Amino acid sequence: MLYVVLFFLLFSLLLYVLLGGADFGAGIVELFSSRKNKLTTRNTIYRVMGPVWEANHIWLIILLVILWVAFPVYFNVIMIYLHVPFVLVLLGITMRGVAFIFRHYDAIVDRSQLFYNWMFRISSLVTPVFLGMSFGALIGGKIILTEDDYTGFTFSELYLWPWFNSFTFLVGIFYAVLCAFLAATLLIGETQGKVRKMFSKKSAYFTITLVLLGFILIAYGYIYEVKFIKDFVSNPVSIGAVILSGLLLIPLWRAIKRQNTLGSRYLAGLQVVLVLFAALYAHFPYIIITAEKEVSLLEGLPPQAVIQNLGIMLLIGGGVILPGLFHLMRSFGMIKIFKSGEKEFENN
Amino acid sequence: MENLDFARLQMAFTLGFHIIFACIGMVMPFFMVVSHKKWLNTRNPVYLELTKSWQKGVAIFFVTGAVSGTALSFELGMLWPEFMKHAGPIIGMPFSLEGAAFFVEAIALGFYLYGWNKLPEKFHWFTGIIIGISGVASGILVVSANGWMNAPTGFDYIDGQFVNIDPVQAFLNPAWFTQALHMTLAAVVATSFAVAGVHALQVYRNKRPDLHKKAFKIAIIFGAVAAFLQPLSGDLSAKDIAERQPMKLAAMEAHYETGTNVPLYIGGIVDEENQKVTHKIAIPGALSFLAFGDFDAEVKGLKDFPEDEHPPVAIVHYAFQIMVGIGTLLMLAGILYFLSLKYKKLFNKKWYWLLFVVLAPLGFIAVEAGWVVTEVGRQPWIIYGFMKTSEAVTPMPGMEFSFYMYLVVYAVLAVTVTWLMRRQIRVLNAVKE
Ligand code: HDD
Ligand code: HEM
Ligand code: HEM
């Protein structure tokens, strides 16, 4: 059952990074659209993301619940030491969520739209940056585990510098660009003609930025001896995955250029899977790397009965939810497998 | 004040904020589907208009509930890391089921909001029902987790460690049923009277009374029935507490001296220092009867418990008085509504509508008061009898900043949501006037 739980943990992490990411990214794409394209982007986002955005973000809650039930020691560490960036993430999620709904459900359309729009765009950018920074802090090696003796450390040493430094900042930006890349690639398939061209261009542009940032990140980690990056680079499987993702950029690039919606979508998703896999593989299960030691995800597991119970709940929950979610995404055209089925739906 | 106090304040404030949206999220979908059904049956366009307007309300409240709930799931860990380290695995079951319920709710909401003219009519309507059912389910599940904090079961406590964990037993703890029943009814009462009040105001001001009377009727029927059952369920809760948490009961009643044939105090000013209650109305034997069904039963007083384990008596007592007072009032209001079905003249009286306007916020005040009774009444324990709140709090200093930030952000949100609702009504009234 531990494997079932681990599977759902990684699965919800992946889906949050992918779907939640595409959702954040949509706001970033809108932010970086020219003034005359902003409205088109906004309407496209509403049409495409609207029905599913709420579901996308529940992956985060599932992730959190799995962590606290099955990995309490690990959860304890991140909740204490990442308190500050999490407050910022929550603030961002709050602003973004309400701005999205307000701008589409306000009964009167007037100047307040301007305010909602900007709040939506800015928080779409800021939230993934802080999320990325939190993740960066976990692997950045700067967290100081005090072992219950908090005297002798300042507030900044314990709660600020571990997540607020140039390495974590790079990780944050990397994740934000990844989100934008995902969103732009997704939106290509949802539009026609000129707008479609615009999103293809955006997607290509974000791909380049992403690759560049990836290189900078690895180079930085290598030069400044970030343990995570060093281990990552010397692990053949991880490096293999990164090289594979590099090679897959070529078909991705072609797909984007040809505005091949399905191909680019799957390839973009695959990129994320590969990068995430590479990042986690080198260090699994040591996902917290602190100044002195590495904390294993599997440290201090709760008794078998708890894991058993959680595993069963997840299997039942998954069995109920995944078909429903799939149906929702298909109905509103997020997943295109049966093209004909969709036509039928639109004619309804 | 210390860090701990700010952490407690923040928890109380954010929970108190969330519960309002959670209640609306649980109950409003049912109003919406009733109105939707009436539209499908009668094709009276007024019902379509009402459904769509309520749907916008549901969307706005839902998202506010969702983001504040997301914040809460983090907060449990961020504010009470030691609590979650031990309790997380034990009460994982309701929370993991709750995750599933949220998902179902979000999926159904996606279908409902975006499904107009796209989905088959029946299926579309049915997704609305699913929103409501999964909302109520998530409410019940999370309350069961809270019930465990009041009545911890499903483990053995050996040498300061929680061992032999049984998640199912923890989930079905002795408090879950009474609490979940009372909470679900409370959500219906609070939301119904609030919605009914909003529409009563429009009738009172004579703005599209045809539409608003229909809306009022849908909401108040739910409310009147639930308000009638609420005190009965409250009595069940009180009896439960008398068994399990005698200290909480004593604090609720500001009852200091152990004795038999104990009187029930109504009102009264609590003097915590001298452990006395003044200016009260005492009903002889009533507390003994309410708690144990016997006028001569012994009820333990606060003086029988170590003083450092007393909850803040005054707050709990006042909060309890407020809840019960409102409960009685709303029950009478419910009866008045059923009377007006017989004496239709009442519907033409201005004061009738004004009365329901005045009652609008009371249900929510009772909800907040009730939670204060439950949560403050449990102090100083976070896990009743096993872990003190002070042992659970985060070691990070500076909680006051976080508290003030939430205060400001949520205040702004609350004002904005209210303003949006007023705009909703304005648009609704502007049509065909
Ligand atoms: C509309 C709201 C509302 C109304 C009218 C009432 N209550 Fe209540 N009450 C709640 C809303 C509520 C609540 C907010 O939902 C609580 C907090 C925790 C819970 O499970 O329900 C609660 C808790 C609560 C508790 C503590 C339960 C615990 O700690 O486990 C008791 C003893 C009562 N109630 C009793 C009553 C009585 C005797 C009422 C008679 C009129 C009453 N309530 C009306
Ligand atoms: C939404 C309705 C709720 C409200 C309004 C509410 C209210 C409160 C209040 C007023 C406090 C502060 C008590 C004090 O420190 O004096 C508190 C504390 C707390 N509540 Fe609740 N509560 C609610 C539901 C829940 C639920 C469902 C859970 C858990 C699943 C929960 C978990 C906690 C925890 C962990 C604390 C902090 C520790 C403590 O003070 O005991 N609450 N809540
Ligand atoms: C008695 C107290 C509570 C009740 C009755 C309650 C009920 C609900 C309901 C009905 C919703 C659905 C949202 C809506 O329709 O507006 C919701 C949302 C949520 N609640 Fe609560 N809740 C309570 C306390 C808590 C606590 C203590 C937590 C944290 C652990 C929590 C976490 C959440 C989360 C994460 C969501 C968002 C789900 C989504 O995105 O749809 N709730 N709650």
Side-chain angles (χ1 to χ4, degrees), chain B residues 179 182-183 186 230-231 234 238 241 248 252 323 327 363 366-367 370-371 374:
Chain B
Q179 268 196 254
H182 197 60
M183 178 67 232
Q230 185 77 351
I241 291 197
K248 188 190 269 181
M252 274 155 49
M323 170 171 64
V367 166
W371 278 104
T374 303

Side-chain angles (χ1 to χ4, degrees), chain A residues 139-159:
Chain A
I139 56 173
K142 292 236 165 67
I143 293 179
I144 304 171
L145 287 186
T146 57
E147 313 289 351
D148 287 338
D149 178 17
Y150 294 90
T151 51
F153 297 99
T154 63
F155 182 87
S156 334
E157 276 173 331
L158 288 181
Y159 304 108

Side-chain angles (χ1 to χ4, degrees), chain B residues 34 146 305 355:
Chain B
V34 169
N146 181 266
F305 300 99
L355 176 74

Side-chain angles (χ1 to χ4, degrees), chain A residues 23 62 74 84 136 155 222 236 276 323 327 345:
Chain A
D23 202 49
I62 306 282
Y74 184 83
V84 181
F155 182 87
Y222 207 76
L276 203 65
H327 189 59
F345 179 77

